[in-house]
């Protein structure tokens, strides 16, 4: 790993001020550190934001669950409040990586990285999340822009993620046996306003399958999507799964998720 | 350079280190605590697992500077008065290792499991050890060793 200047900051303003086009914010470091070791990324400055107290923690109100950006996966997985309000969200956190990754990795880091196979982006889409940054609020639908790309601007820091508590929800994934990243993951959430079917791992970026969402909004049953054809166009194809296979898995896991709701 | 103060296996240590020093390099190259192994060096294999403030983490993917002020336990810190930890005893007794490269990480990870679950099932042990890879494929005896240790701890 090439060297850099390490900064540990105590507030968001300081972090933002130190940032530049050659810097990265460090939270859990579960992607940032391996990326630097592999030479995929190099930074002049690493700005550790874990010392900013207000970025960590879980708040549950009547309608929403708000999770601070530096909250670790293990905290979300073990939170009694989240287990009660949105059990599928704590179950998702429990399925990320391995125990050591869950002890370090953070929700903010996961969504800022927007890995096409990451779990949390699907939760943001399915649960109508609002991403709170130091400058603005961004709807999840507008936040995830493409492969490893978000609408965050330089120096912008995610402070928290606010999830709407659904009536019913379930996240089901086919995990890569080695990494536990989703080969295909489907997060189904039934809200008063309608159903979301968020898909991760299948394409270059998480997306809401509008067709499945519409069908399930009218008839919330696994049988309702039995005859729905999922196009393989735009699906990822790699050594783990072909595009056609992934397209089929979207339907299989959407049905599983509806049944598990 | 950053000044880092840590408590390692009960001993307070302060050092001036380059900013990009990972905890695994700090332990092995600077403190000569080579019981913590580095396999993949990208947080997949788990040979480098240590405890930081009581929780297991992969030391190859944590900056030492980031852990300033933490309490760290490595495999070297498990023995008391020359007596092995029950988990180490169980790995020895039940041949929970072949080449032994992954063992420090397995032992540290398994101890963290027993902190949260006193009598884990085979499935729970295997799920927990997801992030620890043994390339001798000796998992059968590793799981048996963790169960044995659970009965003794």
């Amino acid at each position: 790993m090439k060297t850099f200047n390490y900064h540990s900051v105590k507030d968001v303003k300081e972090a933002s001020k130190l940032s530049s086009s050659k810097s990265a914010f460090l939270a859990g470091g579960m992607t940032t550190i391996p990326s630097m070791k592999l030479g995929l990324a190099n930074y002049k400055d690493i700005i550790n934001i874990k010392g900013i107290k207000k970025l960590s923690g879980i708040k549950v109100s009547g309608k929403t669950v708000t999770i601070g950006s530096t909250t670790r996966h293990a905290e979300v997985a073990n939170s009694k409040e989240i287990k009660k309000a949105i059990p599928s969200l704590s179950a998702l956190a429990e399925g990320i990586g391995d125990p050591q990754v869950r002890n370090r990795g953070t929700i903010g880091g996961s969504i800022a990285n927007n890995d096409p196979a990451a779990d949390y982006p699907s939760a943001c889409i399915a649960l109508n999340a609002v991403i709170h940054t130091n400058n603005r609020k961004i709807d999840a639908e507008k936040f995830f822009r493409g492969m490893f790309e978000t609408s965050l601007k330089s120096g912008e820091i995610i402070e928290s993620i606010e999830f709407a508590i659904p009536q019913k929800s379930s996240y089901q994934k086919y995990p890569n046996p080695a990494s536990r990243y989703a080969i295909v993951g489907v997060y189904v959430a039934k809200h008063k306003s309608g159903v979301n079917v968020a898909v991760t791992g299948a394409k270059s970026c998480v997306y809401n399958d509008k067709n499945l969402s519409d069908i399930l909004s009218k008839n919330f049953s696994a049988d309702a999507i039995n005859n729905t054809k999922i196009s393989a166009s735009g699906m990822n194809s790699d050594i783990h799964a072909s595009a056609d296979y992934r397209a089929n898995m979207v339907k299989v896991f959407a049905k599983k998720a509806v049944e598990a709701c | 350079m950053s000044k880092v103060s840590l408590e390692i296996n009960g001993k307070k240590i302060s050092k001036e280190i380059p900013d990009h020093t990972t905890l695994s390099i700090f332990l092995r190259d600077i403190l000569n605590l080579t019981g913590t192994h580095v396999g993949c060096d990208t947080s997949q294999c788990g040979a480098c697992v240590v405890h930081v403030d009581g929780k297991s983490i992969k030391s190859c993917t944590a900056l030492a500077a980031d852990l300033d002020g933490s309490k760290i336990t490595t495999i070297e810190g498990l023995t008391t008065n020359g007596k092995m930890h029950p988990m180490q005893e169980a790995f020895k007794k039940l041949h929970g290792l072949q080449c032994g490269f992954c063992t420090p990480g397995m032992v540290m990870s398994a101890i963290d499991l027993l902190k949260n679950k006193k009598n884990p099932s085979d499935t729970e042990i295997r799920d927990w050890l997801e992030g620890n890879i043994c390339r001798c494929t000796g998992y059968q005896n590793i799981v048996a060793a963790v169960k044995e240790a659970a009965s003794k701890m």
Side-chain angles (χ1 to χ4, degrees):
Chain A
M1 180 160 48
K2 287 188 181 164
T3 195
F4 47 74
N5 300 310
Y6 173 82
H7 311 268
S8 182
V9 297
K10 291 274 175 264
D11 65 66
V12 171
K13 263 193 189 156
E14 194 188 348
S16 193
K17 217 174 158 186
L18 278 169
S19 74
S20 70
S21 60
K22 288 176 183 164
S23 72
F25 296 121
L26 181 75
M30 292 296 96
T31 299
T32 306
I33 295 174
S35 301
M36 287 193 289
K37 283 187 180 183
L38 294 166
L40 298 170
N42 279 312
Y43 303 106
K44 196 170 144 271
D45 297 286
I46 287 289
I47 306 157
N48 186 354
I49 58 168
K50 280 203 300 298
I52 307 172
K53 283 209 174 79
K54 74 166 186 174
L55 298 188
S56 176
I58 293 162
K59 264 186 237 144
V60 178
S61 72
K63 288 182 181 163
T64 61
V65 169
T66 305
I67 304 177
S69 58
T70 63
T71 307
R72 293 175 163 99
H73 307 327
E75 294 170 65
V76 175
N78 297 326
S79 159
K80 281 185 189 141
E81 285 175 295
I82 299 179
K83 276 183 185 170
K84 207 173 147 202
I86 316 178
S88 58
L89 188 59
S90 45
L92 174 148
E94 182 68 36
I96 297 173
D98 57 52
Q100 289 75 37
V101 166
R102 295 195 287 274
N103 278 341
R104 296 285 292 165
T106 67
I107 186 168
S110 170
I111 69 166
N113 190 45
N114 193 18
D115 189 299
D119 298 301
Y120 268 129
S122 71
C124 294
I125 298 285
L127 301 172
N128 294 329
V130 177
I131 288 101
H132 296 250
T133 77
N134 54 335
N135 293 327
R136 59 193 167 131
K137 295 177 188 177
I138 311 167
D139 289 337
E141 287 276 1
K142 289 186 182 143
F143 181 83
F144 301 103
R145 299 285 293 272
M147 190 158 70
F148 297 110
E149 197 189 329
T150 68
S151 53
L152 287 172
K153 297 204 168 83
S154 175
E156 195 170 15
I157 295 172
I158 302 170
E159 296 194 334
S160 64
I161 300 101
E162 185 183 358
F163 297 97
I165 299 174
Q167 294 170 323
K168 292 174 179 181
S169 63
S170 174
Y171 175 63
Q172 300 287 326
K173 73 167 163 174
Y174 177 23
N176 179 309
S179 68
R180 297 296 185 234
Y181 270 104
I183 290 174
V184 169
V186 182
Y187 206 133
V188 172
K190 184 173 188 284
H191 299 269
K192 214 173 168 185
S193 54
V195 174
N196 290 326
V197 181
V199 182
T200 189
K203 293 188 177 177
S204 60
C205 182
V206 66
Y207 65 97
N208 196 358
D209 190 312
K210 301 280 183 208
N211 188 28
L212 292 177
S213 299
D214 285 348
I215 297 168
L216 291 170
S217 293
K218 284 178 200 128
N219 177 8
F220 194 72
S221 76
D223 287 344
I225 53 174
N226 263 344
N227 299 321
T228 309
K229 188 110 180 79
I230 312 274
S231 164
S233 159
M235 294 271 173
N236 299 330
S237 186
D238 53 36
I239 56 164
H240 305 296
S242 67
D244 285 336
Y245 185 82
R246 275 192 166 86
N248 191 42
M249 285 302 111
V250 169
K251 188 157 98 179
V252 168
F253 282 86
K255 285 175 72 172
K256 267 193 172 188
V258 172
E259 279 162 1
C261 271
Chain B
M1 299 290 278
S2 291
K3 194 183 171 203
V4 176
S5 302
L6 299 164
E7 189 180 315
I8 297 177
N9 301 331
K11 211 172 134 190
K12 290 203 165 116
I13 287 163
S14 276
K15 295 262 180 204
E16 191 86 15
I17 54 166
D19 287 359
H20 67 301
T21 310
T22 59
L23 179 59
S24 55
I25 287 181
F26 186 71
L27 293 170
R28 290 179 54 84
D29 297 358
I30 300 177
L31 302 180
N32 209 21
L33 290 170
T34 52
T36 299
H37 291 171
V38 174
C40 69
D41 208 15
T42 46
S43 67
Q44 296 168 67
C45 79
C48 68
V49 170
V50 300
H51 295 181
V52 174
D53 296 327
K55 288 191 172 130
S56 58
I57 71 149
K58 293 183 172 172
S59 62
C60 77
T61 311
L63 298 176
D66 181 13
L67 301 171
D68 190 35
S70 307
K71 285 185 181 170
I72 290 160
T73 307
T74 70
I75 191 80
E76 290 94 341
L78 292 183
T79 50
T80 36
N81 303 323
K83 202 171 170 284
M84 279 195 278
H85 185 281
M87 188 64 75
Q88 292 172 304
E89 280 285 359
F91 268 71
K92 185 182 170 215
K93 186 179 158 195
L94 293 170
H95 303 284
L97 61 138
Q98 289 183 39
C99 83
F101 190 85
C102 70
T103 314
M106 289 281 181
V107 168
M108 297 311 286
S109 190
I111 291 172
D112 193 20
L113 166 66
L114 296 190
K115 272 187 195 159
N116 306 311
K117 272 205 170 76
K118 293 218 172 336
N119 286 300
S121 66
D122 281 26
T123 309
E124 284 167 335
I125 294 168
R126 285 174 186 275
D127 277 355
W128 184 269
L129 294 178
E130 166 68 34
N132 294 84
I133 296 172
C134 165
R135 286 300 79 167
C136 304
T137 65
Y139 295 106
Q140 204 70 31
N141 289 356
I142 289 168
V143 174
V146 177
K147 284 194 113 169
E148 163 88 4
S151 73
K152 297 274 162 68
M153 280 166 73

